Coordinates of all heavy atoms in Angstrom, one line a residue:
H3 N -8.8 0.5 10.8 CA -9.4 1.3 11.8 C -9.8 2.6 11.2 O -9.0 3.3 10.6 CB -8.4 1.6 13.0 CG -8.9 2.2 14.2 ND1 -10.1 1.7 14.8 CD2 -8.6 3.3 14.8 CE1 -10.3 2.5 15.9 NE2 -9.5 3.5 15.9
L4 N -11.1 3.0 11.4 CA -11.6 4.2 10.8 C -12.1 5.1 11.9 O -12.8 4.6 12.8 CB -12.8 3.9 9.9 CG -12.5 2.9 8.7 CD1 -13.8 2.6 7.9 CD2 -11.4 3.5 7.8
V5 N -11.8 6.4 11.9 CA -12.2 7.3 12.9 C -12.9 8.6 12.2 O -12.2 9.3 11.4 CB -11.1 7.8 13.8 CG1 -11.6 8.8 14.8 CG2 -10.5 6.6 14.5
E6 N -14.1 8.8 12.5 CA -14.8 9.9 11.9 C -14.8 11.1 12.9 O -14.7 10.9 14.1 CB -16.3 9.6 11.6 CG -16.6 8.5 10.7 CD -16.9 7.2 11.5 OE1 -16.4 7.1 12.6 OE2 -17.6 6.3 11.0
S7 N -14.8 12.3 12.3 CA -14.9 13.5 13.1 C -15.5 14.6 12.3 O -15.7 14.5 11.1 CB -13.5 14.0 13.6 OG -12.7 14.3 12.5
G8 N -15.9 15.7 13.0 CA -16.4 16.9 12.2 C -17.8 17.1 12.4 O -18.4 18.1 11.9
G9 N -18.5 16.2 13.0 CA -20.0 16.4 13.2 C -20.3 17.5 14.2 O -19.4 18.1 14.8
G10 N -21.5 17.9 14.3 CA -21.9 18.9 15.2 C -23.3 19.4 14.9 O -24.1 18.8 14.1
L11 N -23.7 20.6 15.5 CA -24.9 21.2 15.3 C -24.8 22.4 14.3 O -23.9 23.2 14.5 CB -25.5 21.8 16.6 CG -26.7 22.6 16.6 CD1 -27.9 21.8 16.1 CD2 -27.0 23.2 17.9
V12 N -25.6 22.4 13.3 CA -25.5 23.5 12.3 C -26.9 23.9 11.9 O -27.9 23.1 11.9 CB -24.7 23.0 11.0 CG1 -25.4 21.8 10.4 CG2 -24.4 24.1 10.1
Q13 N -27.1 25.2 11.5 CA -28.4 25.7 11.1 C -28.7 25.2 9.7 O -27.8 25.0 8.9 CB -28.4 27.2 11.2 CG -28.3 27.7 12.6 CD -28.5 29.2 12.7 OE1 -28.4 29.9 11.6 NE2 -28.8 29.7 13.8
P14 N -29.9 25.1 9.3 CA -30.3 24.8 7.9 C -29.6 25.8 7.0 O -29.6 27.0 7.2 CB -31.8 25.0 7.9 CG -32.2 24.7 9.3 CD -31.1 25.3 10.2
G15 N -29.1 25.3 5.9 CA -28.4 26.1 4.9 C -26.9 26.1 5.2 O -26.2 26.6 4.3
G16 N -26.5 25.6 6.3 CA -25.1 25.7 6.7 C -24.3 24.6 6.1 O -24.8 23.7 5.3
S17 N -23.0 24.5 6.5 CA -22.1 23.5 5.9 C -21.3 22.8 7.0 O -21.1 23.4 8.1 CB -21.1 24.2 4.9 OG -21.7 24.7 3.8
L18 N -20.9 21.6 6.8 CA -20.0 20.9 7.6 C -19.1 20.1 6.8 O -19.5 19.6 5.7 CB -20.7 19.9 8.6 CG -21.4 20.5 9.9 CD1 -22.2 19.4 10.6 CD2 -20.4 21.1 10.8
R19 N -17.9 19.8 7.3 CA -17.0 18.9 6.6 C -16.6 17.7 7.6 O -16.0 18.0 8.6 CB -15.7 19.5 6.1 CG -14.9 18.6 5.2 CD -13.6 19.3 4.6 NE -12.6 19.4 5.6 CZ -11.3 19.6 5.3 NH1 -11.0 19.7 4.0 NH2 -10.4 19.7 6.2
L20 N -17.0 16.5 7.2 CA -16.7 15.4 8.0 C -15.4 14.8 7.5 O -15.1 14.8 6.3 CB -17.8 14.3 7.9 CG -19.2 14.8 8.3 CD1 -20.1 13.6 8.2 CD2 -19.2 15.5 9.6
S21 N -14.6 14.2 8.4 CA -13.3 13.6 8.1 C -13.4 12.1 8.5 O -14.0 11.8 9.6 CB -12.2 14.2 8.8 OG -12.0 15.6 8.4
C22 N -12.8 11.3 7.7 CA -12.6 9.8 8.1 C -11.1 9.5 7.9 O -10.6 9.4 6.8 CB -13.5 9.0 7.1 SG -13.2 7.2 7.3
V23 N -10.5 9.4 9.0 CA -9.1 9.0 9.0 C -9.0 7.5 9.0 O -9.5 6.8 9.9 CB -8.3 9.6 10.2 CG1 -6.8 9.1 10.2 CG2 -8.4 11.1 10.2
A24 N -8.3 6.9 8.0 CA -8.2 5.5 7.9 C -6.8 5.0 8.2 O -5.8 5.5 7.6 CB -8.6 5.1 6.4
S25 N -6.7 4.0 9.1 CA -5.4 3.4 9.3 C -5.5 1.9 8.9 O -6.6 1.3 9.0 CB -4.9 3.5 10.7 OG -5.9 3.0 11.6
G26 N -4.4 1.3 8.5 CA -4.5 0.0 8.0 C -5.1 -0.2 6.7 O -5.5 -1.3 6.2
V27 N -5.3 1.0 6.0 CA -6.0 1.0 4.7 C -5.1 1.8 3.7 O -4.6 2.9 4.1 CB -7.3 1.7 4.8 CG1 -7.9 2.0 3.4 CG2 -8.3 0.9 5.6
I28 N -4.9 1.2 2.5 CA -4.2 2.0 1.5 C -5.3 2.5 0.5 O -6.0 1.7 -0.1 CB -3.2 1.1 0.7 CG1 -2.2 0.6 1.7 CG2 -2.6 1.9 -0.4 CD1 -1.2 -0.5 1.1
L29 N -5.4 3.8 0.4 CA -6.5 4.3 -0.3 C -6.4 4.0 -1.8 O -7.4 4.1 -2.5 CB -6.6 5.9 -0.2 CG -6.9 6.3 1.2 CD1 -7.0 7.9 1.3 CD2 -8.2 5.7 1.7
D30 N -5.3 3.5 -2.3 CA -5.1 3.1 -3.7 C -5.9 1.8 -3.9 O -6.0 1.4 -5.1 CB -3.7 2.9 -4.0 CG -3.0 4.2 -4.2 OD1 -3.6 5.2 -4.5 OD2 -1.7 4.3 -3.9
Y31 N -6.3 1.1 -2.8 CA -6.9 -0.2 -3.0 C -8.2 -0.4 -2.4 O -8.9 -1.4 -2.6 CB -6.0 -1.3 -2.4 CG -4.6 -1.4 -3.0 CD1 -3.5 -0.9 -2.3 CD2 -4.4 -1.9 -4.3 CE1 -2.2 -0.9 -2.9 CE2 -3.1 -1.9 -4.9 CZ -2.1 -1.4 -4.2 OH -0.8 -1.4 -4.8
Y32 N -8.7 0.6 -1.6 CA -9.9 0.6 -0.9 C -10.9 1.6 -1.4 O -10.5 2.8 -1.6 CB -9.7 0.8 0.6 CG -9.1 -0.4 1.3 CD1 -7.7 -0.7 1.2 CD2 -9.9 -1.2 2.1 CE1 -7.2 -1.8 1.9 CE2 -9.3 -2.3 2.8 CZ -8.0 -2.6 2.7 OH -7.4 -3.6 3.3
A33 N -12.1 1.3 -1.4 CA -13.2 2.3 -1.6 C -13.6 2.7 -0.2 O -13.6 1.9 0.8 CB -14.4 1.7 -2.3
I34 N -14.0 4.0 -0.1 CA -14.5 4.5 1.2 C -15.9 5.1 1.0 O -16.1 5.9 0.1 CB -13.6 5.7 1.7 CG1 -12.1 5.2 1.9 CG2 -14.2 6.2 3.0 CD1 -11.9 4.3 3.1
G35 N -16.8 4.6 1.8 CA -18.2 5.1 1.6 C -18.6 5.8 2.9 O -18.1 5.6 4.0
W36 N -19.5 6.8 2.7 CA -20.1 7.5 3.8 C -21.6 7.0 3.9 O -22.3 7.0 2.8 CB -20.1 9.0 3.6 CG -18.8 9.6 4.0 CD1 -17.8 9.9 3.1 CD2 -18.3 9.9 5.3 NE1 -16.7 10.5 3.9 CE2 -17.0 10.5 5.2 CE3 -18.9 9.8 6.6 CZ2 -16.3 10.9 6.3 CZ3 -18.1 10.3 7.7 CH2 -16.9 10.8 7.5
F37 N -22.0 6.7 5.1 CA -23.4 6.3 5.3 C -24.0 7.1 6.4 O -23.2 7.8 7.1 CB -23.4 4.8 5.8 CG -23.1 3.8 4.7 CD1 -21.8 3.6 4.3 CD2 -24.1 3.0 4.2 CE1 -21.5 2.7 3.3 CE2 -23.9 2.1 3.2 CZ -22.6 1.9 2.7
R38 N -25.3 7.1 6.6 CA -25.9 7.8 7.7 C -27.1 7.0 8.2 O -27.7 6.3 7.4 CB -26.3 9.2 7.2 CG -27.4 9.3 6.2 CD -27.6 10.7 5.7 NE -28.6 10.8 4.7 CZ -29.0 12.0 4.1 NH1 -28.3 13.1 4.4 NH2 -29.9 12.0 3.1
Q39 N -27.4 7.3 9.4 CA -28.5 6.6 10.0 C -29.2 7.6 11.0 O -28.7 8.0 12.0 CB -28.1 5.3 10.8 CG -29.2 4.5 11.3 CD -28.8 3.1 11.8 OE1 -27.6 2.9 12.0 NE2 -29.7 2.2 11.8
A40 N -30.5 7.8 10.6 CA -31.3 8.7 11.4 C -32.1 7.8 12.4 O -32.2 6.6 12.2 CB -32.3 9.5 10.5
P41 N -32.6 8.4 13.5 CA -33.3 7.6 14.5 C -34.5 6.8 13.8 O -35.2 7.4 13.0 CB -33.8 8.7 15.5 CG -32.9 9.8 15.4 CD -32.4 9.8 13.9
E42 N -34.6 5.6 14.2 CA -35.6 4.7 13.7 C -35.6 4.5 12.2 O -36.6 4.0 11.7 CB -37.0 5.2 14.2 CG -37.1 5.3 15.7 CD -38.4 5.8 16.2 OE1 -39.3 6.0 15.4 OE2 -38.6 5.9 17.4
K43 N -34.5 4.8 11.6 CA -34.4 4.5 10.1 C -33.2 3.6 9.9 O -32.3 3.5 10.7 CB -34.3 5.8 9.4 CG -35.5 6.7 9.4 CD -35.4 7.8 8.4 CE -36.6 8.6 8.3 NZ -36.5 9.8 7.3
E44 N -33.3 2.9 8.7 CA -32.2 2.1 8.3 C -31.0 2.9 7.9 O -31.1 4.1 7.5 CB -32.6 1.2 7.1 CG -33.6 0.2 7.5 CD -33.9 -0.8 6.4 OE1 -33.4 -0.6 5.3 OE2 -34.6 -1.8 6.6
R45 N -29.8 2.3 8.0 CA -28.6 3.0 7.6 C -28.6 3.0 6.1 O -28.9 2.0 5.4 CB -27.4 2.2 8.1 CG -26.1 2.9 7.9 CD -24.9 2.2 8.7 NE -25.2 2.2 10.1 CZ -24.3 1.7 11.0 NH1 -23.1 1.3 10.6 NH2 -24.5 1.7 12.3
E46 N -28.3 4.2 5.5 CA -28.4 4.4 4.1 C -27.0 4.9 3.6 O -26.3 5.7 4.2 CB -29.5 5.4 3.7 CG -29.3 6.8 4.1 CD -30.2 7.8 3.4 OE1 -30.8 7.4 2.4 OE2 -30.2 8.9 3.8
G47 N -26.7 4.5 2.4 CA -25.5 5.0 1.7 C -25.7 6.4 1.3 O -26.7 6.8 0.8
V48 N -24.6 7.2 1.3 CA -24.7 8.6 0.9 C -23.8 8.8 -0.3 O -24.3 9.1 -1.4 CB -24.2 9.5 2.1 CG1 -24.2 11.0 1.6 CG2 -25.1 9.3 3.3
L49 N -22.5 8.6 -0.1 CA -21.5 8.8 -1.2 C -20.4 7.8 -1.0 O -20.1 7.3 0.1 CB -20.9 10.2 -1.2 CG -21.7 11.4 -1.8 CD1 -21.1 12.7 -1.4 CD2 -21.9 11.2 -3.3
C50 N -19.7 7.5 -2.1 CA -18.6 6.6 -2.1 C -17.5 7.1 -3.0 O -17.8 7.6 -4.1 CB -19.0 5.2 -2.4 SG -17.7 4.0 -2.5
I51 N -16.3 6.9 -2.6 CA -15.1 7.2 -3.5 C -14.3 6.0 -3.7 O -13.9 5.3 -2.7 CB -14.3 8.4 -3.1 CG1 -13.3 8.9 -4.1 CG2 -13.6 8.1 -1.7 CD1 -12.7 10.3 -3.8

Side-chain angles (χ1 to χ4, degrees):
H3 188 55
L4 304 175
V5 179
E6 304 95 334
S7 63
L11 173 65
V12 63
Q13 292 187 343
S17 297
L18 280 176
R19 188 178 78 160
L20 305 183
S21 300
C22 173
V23 179
S25 58
V27 169
I28 300 174
L29 294 182
D30 288 331
Y31 300 107
Y32 284 77
I34 303 286
W36 281 98
F37 288 75
R38 64 186 179 185
Q39 188 165 18
E42 301 182 358
K43 291 191 176 181
E44 291 188 354
R45 191 169 298 189
E46 69 166 346
V48 178
L49 283 169
C50 176
I51 189 164

